Amino acid sequence: MPTIMHKGELIFRRINGYESPMDVFQRMAWLMFCYLVFSFYLLLIPIMEDLALQICSAIVHTILLAFMIFYWYVASATDPVDVTIFLKLQATPRHISSAELLYCQYCDCKVHKKSKHCRACNKCVGEFDHHCKWLNNCVGGANYKAFFRLIISAMLLTAVQAVFGVRLLLLVWMDEAWLGASPGAWWVANISRGAVIALLFTIAFFSVVASTLLLHLVGFHMWLQREGISTYDYILGKRAEKHVRKTDNKDEGTSSVSNAGSGGGGAGAGPGGG
């Protein structure tokens, strides 16, 4: 477990996403990734009907896989910490505007105003966007580009797998002789057709779900970039809107009760005065 010396004591501070404690979502991502990758090369490609299609699909999938692994590693291995914490600034230097730096009580020093202290990593992250449980690391200015390219490559990879998975599932389902006619399907000869269909269904299902969710995530971050805000800014904005709606509803309820009370008093006074 990574530690640093702070006020004479050793405290935890995560440097990258490969350090313990590992997040449950990170382990789930690794398992799902391995399952989809191995299933593509060991099941989907062998039962394709044409050698040229097998080669082309393998090339496309391998290229996307290489990009995804590379950006996954970069996004996880990069430490997005605000480097000003290493300076231990207790006051704003004269050459820096006082509005550029704010004091972090957890790091006990000045940090950039766009930084935020992540309690999961126990550090101030420069240009903080969000803490990603799938990477077990924060996403900030230092690794945001790698993160964005990662989700794009992952979306394309799962989309390719979803297309081939659904296609082969339908072909095997509708044609009982399909597996026997596939040139590379010799190794599934001892596996029942029902088992192959079940495997293809799980592959297609997880691929479709993953590609759909990743497409939504890519679109969301494209919108954030267009608006010039971070995920954290978006969350704060939604919280503020929710607070305003709750306050307005409370005010409307108080106003309605007040009006009902005054109206009821007038009605009661009428008959009494008559």
Side-chain angles (χ1 to χ4, degrees), residues 143-186:
N143 61 347
Y144 181 82
K145 287 184 179 179
F147 166 78
F148 184 64
R149 292 167 182 171
L150 165 64
I151 60 177
I152 290 177
S153 58
M155 183 267 293
L156 294 175
L157 183 74
T158 52
V160 168
Q161 184 140 350
V163 170
F164 283 108
V166 172
R167 175 180 177 273
L168 290 170
L169 173 62
L170 295 176
L171 290 173
V172 175
W173 178 272
M174 294 185 296
D175 188 355
E176 295 184 3
W178 179 269
L179 292 176
S182 301
W186 56 269

Side-chain angles (χ1 to χ4, degrees), residues 4-272:
I4 60 170
M5 185 66 68
H6 181 71
K7 294 183 178 181
E9 297 181 1
L10 285 175
I11 61 172
F12 165 79
R13 182 176 80 80
R14 178 176 286 110
I15 297 176
N16 58 64
Y18 299 111
E19 296 174 333
S20 61
M22 297 294 185
D23 196 281
V24 174
F25 286 93
Q26 182 184 29
R27 299 177 188 272
M28 288 174 56
W30 288 355
L31 290 174
M32 183 63 65
F33 170 75
C34 291
Y35 173 72
L36 291 178
V37 169
F38 282 110
S39 65
F40 187 85
Y41 290 101
L42 297 179
L43 181 60
L44 298 190
I45 289 181
I47 64 175
M48 292 179 187
E49 71 278 15
D50 183 72
L51 181 61
L53 181 60
Q54 291 177 336
I55 295 174
C56 290
S57 62
I59 291 174
V60 172
H61 193 274
T62 303
I63 292 174
L64 292 174
L65 178 62
F67 275 107
M68 179 181 170
I69 292 176
F70 174 75
Y71 289 121
W72 194 343
Y73 172 78
V74 173
S76 298
T78 301
D79 185 4
V81 66
D82 185 340
V83 294
T84 57
I85 68 172
F86 301 122
L87 303 176
K88 296 297 181 182
L89 297 175
Q90 297 300 312
T92 304
R94 294 182 178 180
H95 65 280
I96 301 178
S97 171
S98 59
E100 290 298 318
L101 297 178
L102 298 175
Y103 185 80
C104 175
Q105 62 178 341
Y106 301 104
C107 295
D108 192 26
C109 63
K110 293 277 188 172
V111 296
H112 288 101
K113 65 178 182 180
K114 289 186 178 181
S115 299
K116 180 188 178 299
H117 191 90
C118 174
R119 294 185 180 182
C121 297
N122 194 27
K123 63 185 178 185
C124 276
V125 177
E127 298 180 50
F128 180 81
D129 188 82
H130 70 285
H131 178 83
C132 181
K133 292 186 176 183
W134 302 98
L135 297 177
N136 196 35
N137 195 18
C138 279
V139 176
N143 61 347
Y144 181 82
K145 287 184 179 179
F147 166 78
F148 184 64
R149 292 167 182 171
L150 165 64
I151 60 177
I152 290 177
S153 58
M155 183 267 293
L156 294 175
L157 183 74
T158 52
V160 168
Q161 184 140 350
V163 170
F164 283 108
V166 172
R167 175 180 177 273
L168 290 170
L169 173 62
L170 295 176
L171 290 173
V172 175
W173 178 272
M174 294 185 296
D175 188 355
E176 295 184 3
W178 179 269
L179 292 176
S182 301
W186 56 269
W187 71 271
V188 298
N190 296 324
I191 304 177
S192 67
R193 178 169 168 267
V196 173
I197 290 176
L199 286 172
L200 288 173
F201 176 81
T202 57
I203 295 169
F205 175 78
F206 285 121
S207 299
V208 169
V209 171
S211 60
T212 302
L213 293 176
L214 286 165
L215 177 61
H216 178 270
L217 184 61
V218 170
F220 174 66
H221 277 274
M222 290 178 66
W223 177 81
L224 290 177
Q225 293 175 33
R226 189 190 68 180
E227 296 295 318
I229 60 176
S230 65
T231 302
Y232 184 63
D233 295 330
Y234 173 81
I235 293 174
L236 290 181
K238 287 298 181 181
R239 287 179 181 174
E241 291 178 7
K242 184 178 180 180
H243 177 72
V244 170
R245 287 196 300 268
K246 185 181 295 184
T247 303
D248 290 342
N249 292 336
K250 185 177 180 180
D251 291 341
E252 289 177 2
T254 304
S255 177
S256 298
V257 171
S258 299
N259 292 334
S262 60

